């Protein structure tokens, strides 16, 4: 009945990267002990781990981490390409580039606070960025946060273009109704 312990997983250059809740399974209502973790894809050896403070069902629904409180697009917060990993290190965090071998922060991208979806295409990062902090609630009381699509050069961090003021798609009519996605694709 609990939220899945792994909310995203990708691989690149012989490494696995995943966001995992390491709360012991015997805890009746998990508080969430979330980490971005890297392992050797061949032998499973732990390479590094980074703590993620603001994550999990309670963050995006305001309720305990039951399996039905999971967001459908949460796995779109983690991308790996070559020796770089791109992620949000919190639910309302900016986009961060990390060294795939060490987990050290290489760059935090300006203008990406509240990123909710990440794509990598032709050396560009295409992002869905919320215009303010997302919080749980019903849209009848307060409308969902507007979004913009931002294209950034992954190396320089320079914003190439952006379009804004989109209303995202809500997949639920419960306490996570205000937390929406754009369901980005690129090709």
């Amino acid at each position: 009945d609990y939220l899945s312990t792994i909310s995203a997983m990708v691989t690149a250059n012989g490494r696995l990267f995943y966001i995992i809740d390491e709360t012991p399974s015997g805890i009746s209502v998990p508080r969430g002990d979330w980490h971005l973790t890297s392992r050797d894809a061949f032998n499973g050896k732990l390479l590094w781990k980074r703590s993620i403070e603001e994550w999990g069902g309670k963050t995006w629904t305001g309720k305990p981490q039951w399996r039905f409180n999971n967001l459908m697009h949460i796995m779109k917060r983690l991308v790996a390409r070559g020796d770089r990993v791109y992620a949000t290190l919190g639910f309302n965090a900016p986009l961060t580039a990390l060294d795939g071998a060490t987990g050290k922060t290489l760059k935090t991208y300006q203008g990406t606070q509240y990123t909710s979806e990440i794509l990598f295409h032709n050396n560009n990062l295409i992002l869905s960025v919320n215009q303010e902090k997302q919080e749980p609630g019903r849209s009848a009381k307060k409308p969902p946060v507007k979004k913009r699509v931002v294209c950034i050069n992954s190396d320089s961090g320079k914003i190439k273009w952006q379009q804004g003021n989109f209303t995202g798609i809500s997949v639920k009519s419960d306490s996570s109704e205000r937390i929406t996605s754009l369901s980005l694709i690129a090709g």
Side-chain angles (χ1 to χ4, degrees):
D1 283 342
Y2 292 125
L3 189 64
S4 174
T5 56
I6 294 179
S7 62
M9 180 181 279
V10 294
T11 184
N13 269 12
R15 299 179 188 103
L16 290 174
F17 306 98
Y18 53 94
I19 297 173
I20 186 169
D21 181 5
E22 294 184 343
T23 303
S25 60
I27 305 297
S28 62
V29 179
R31 70 186 188 306
D33 184 19
W34 293 91
H35 295 87
L36 172 55
T37 304
S38 175
R39 291 189 178 270
D40 184 292
F42 175 72
N43 60 23
K45 178 182 176 184
L46 178 66
L47 301 175
W48 53 265
K49 185 185 325 187
R50 296 275 304 259
S51 180
I52 300 177
E53 297 300 321
E54 184 192 25
W55 203 263
K58 194 163 188 172
T59 301
W60 48 73
T61 65
K63 297 180 180 178
Q65 303 191 127
W66 304 111
R67 66 182 167 154
F68 298 113
N69 292 357
N70 201 13
L71 297 178
M72 301 299 287
H73 65 284
I74 200 68
M75 74 286 296
K76 296 179 181 181
R77 300 285 192 103
L78 179 63
V79 171
R81 175 78 173 167
D83 282 327
R84 284 196 176 185
V85 180
Y86 303 94
T88 59
L89 298 176
F91 184 60
N92 284 297
L95 177 64
T96 302
L98 301 120
D99 182 288
T102 66
K104 292 190 168 127
T105 298
L106 299 174
K107 183 185 304 252
T108 300
Y109 293 89
Q110 296 296 316
T112 66
Q113 182 70 24
Y114 312 128
T115 293
S116 65
E117 295 175 71
I118 309 164
L119 296 178
F120 189 98
H121 182 68
N122 291 340
N123 208 40
N124 294 308
L125 293 158
I126 303 169
L127 313 172
S128 170
V129 179
N130 300 307
Q131 294 180 5
E132 61 185 82
K133 182 177 181 177
Q134 282 197 309
E135 296 176 320
R138 300 298 301 263
S139 62
K141 296 176 184 174
K142 188 174 178 185
V145 173
K146 295 287 186 172
K147 300 172 179 297
R148 59 194 168 92
V149 177
V150 180
C151 180
I152 298 175
N153 179 280
S154 64
D155 295 326
S156 70
K158 181 182 175 186
I159 294 176
K160 296 175 83 171
W161 56 264
Q162 55 185 317
Q163 296 290 321
N165 224 28
F166 298 112
T167 301
I169 301 164
S170 178
V171 296
K172 293 191 172 189
S173 60
D174 60 10
S175 60
S176 62
E177 184 177 26
R178 291 185 63 237
I179 299 173
T180 63
S181 70
L182 289 181
S183 295
L184 299 176
I185 60 170

